């Protein structure tokens, strides 16, 4: 929960090269980065993980999880656990199961989200609004010459009170302004806006409108005027 840490150029290519050379399984978790668009960050950037996982985002927030594996990993797994014939009761199985695994509510919700929410058409709207918010926030920051920045990953955008994008969680711990974050969140709440409580991140949904984004821009601009006028920044 450190917020968004942009990937350095060439990082993923180097990571994939190293993991292949050492025989290390590369797992990519798309629970948050699925906001990148259809297929998530993996498809957008042409990544080649051995295993891909995603969580509650694909079920509208209801506890859920999925995983997929490459053909090579699947073949390795089947050598450990024999293939199961669904017509024959067997004790051997592959994966993680439990009382609630594959329950009707979760499966129905996942299907609804994948068919009706995380569609190419909706992603186009969500990413457009995230870009609108990010560009407007950047404009306010640059106009006021503030040492802050904005990061965007598809339908997700974040305002961070640091001059440069962090390279690690340690950078955020060392440089984040918790006082400004708390003040901004209180200001937002007084204006009827609720944001992720431990950082200033915005995730668009299909119902988010350009008017909603513009309202945020107005509130953020007034916040900047307030802190500048009070000599906080």
């Amino acid at each position: 929960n450190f917020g968004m840490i942009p990937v350095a150029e060439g990082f993923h290519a180097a990571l994939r090269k190293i993991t292949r050379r050492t025989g290390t399984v590369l797992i990519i978790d798309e629970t948050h980065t699925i906001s990148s668009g259809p297929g998530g960050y993996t498809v957008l950037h042409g990544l080649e993980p051995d295993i891909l996982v995603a969580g509650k985002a694909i079920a509208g927030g209801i506890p859920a999880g999925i995983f997929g594996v490459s053909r090579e990993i699947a073949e390795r797994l089947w050598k450990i656990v024999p293939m199961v014939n669904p017509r024959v009761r067997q004790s051997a199985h592959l994966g993680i199961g439990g009382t609630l695994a594959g329950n009707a509510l979760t499966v129905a919700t996942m299907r609804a989200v994948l068919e009706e929410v995380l569609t190419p058409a909706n992603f186009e709207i969500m990413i457009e609004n995230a870009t609108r918010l990010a560009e407007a926030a950047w404009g306010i920051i640059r106009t006021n010459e503030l040492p802050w920045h904005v990061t965007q990953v598809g339908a997700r955008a974040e305002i961070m009170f640091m001059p440069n994008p962090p390279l690690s969680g340690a950078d955020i711990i060392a440089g984040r302004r918790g006082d400004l974050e708390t003040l901004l969140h209180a200001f937002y709440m007084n204006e009827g806006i609720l944001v992720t409580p431990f950082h200033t991140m915005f995730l668009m949904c299909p119902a988010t409108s350009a008017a909603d984004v513009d309202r945020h821009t107005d509130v953020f601009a007034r916040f900047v005027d307030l802190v500048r006028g009070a000599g906080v920044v």
Side-chain angles (χ1 to χ4, degrees):
N1 292 329
F2 285 118
M4 291 192 286
I5 301 175
V7 178
E9 184 176 353
F11 173 84
H12 279 294
L15 177 64
R16 181 69 280 193
K17 182 178 180 180
I18 292 171
T19 53
R20 282 184 172 142
R21 186 179 71 238
T22 60
T24 303
V25 174
L26 177 59
I27 303 174
I28 292 181
D29 183 351
E30 288 274 9
T31 297
H32 293 287
T33 53
I34 198 171
S35 63
S36 300
Y41 195 90
T42 298
V43 168
L44 180 64
H45 295 279
L47 306 184
E48 299 177 351
D50 298 305
I51 299 176
L52 184 143
V53 300
K56 60 186 179 182
I58 63 166
I62 288 179
I66 60 170
F67 70 92
V69 302
S70 66
R71 181 178 296 276
E72 180 184 355
I73 292 295
E75 291 174 351
R76 289 169 60 182
L77 291 172
W78 288 129
K79 290 179 181 179
I80 300 172
V81 179
M83 287 191 179
V84 176
N85 182 345
R87 299 180 182 278
V88 179
R89 184 178 179 84
Q90 297 173 255
S91 60
H93 62 86
L94 184 63
I96 300 174
T99 303
L100 299 179
N103 72 82
L105 174 62
T106 298
V107 173
T109 306
M110 288 171 61
R111 180 169 183 171
V113 170
L114 292 173
E115 290 184 348
E116 306 295 335
V117 181
L118 301 182
T119 64
N122 280 340
F123 264 117
E124 184 176 349
I125 295 171
M126 294 187 290
I127 293 173
E128 180 180 325
N129 280 324
T131 302
R132 186 185 187 95
L133 186 148
E135 290 179 348
W138 261 125
I140 294 169
I141 290 170
R142 287 168 175 152
T143 297
N144 289 275
E145 299 181 337
L146 296 169
W148 306 344
H149 74 274
V150 182
T151 299
Q152 181 183 355
V153 177
R156 189 186 300 265
E158 180 177 22
I159 298 170
M160 198 170 280
F161 299 117
M162 299 172 59
N164 301 304
L167 298 178
S168 66
D171 285 350
I172 295 178
I173 292 174
R176 81 185 314 169
R177 290 287 304 274
D179 56 341
L180 284 178
E181 290 178 8
T182 300
L183 183 60
L184 176 57
H185 284 234
F187 191 84
Y188 278 153
M189 285 190 287
N190 285 332
E191 296 291 335
I193 297 176
L194 292 177
V195 184
T196 310
F198 37 82
H199 40 72
T200 309
M201 186 183 294
F202 309 85
L203 179 59
M204 305 298 134
C205 72
T208 305
S209 67
D212 294 328
V213 173
D214 292 343
R215 180 165 178 270
H216 167 267
T217 298
D218 175 67
V219 171
F220 182 61
R222 286 192 282 115
F223 169 78
V224 170
D225 289 342
L226 173 69
V227 293
R228 283 182 63 85
V232 177
V233 294

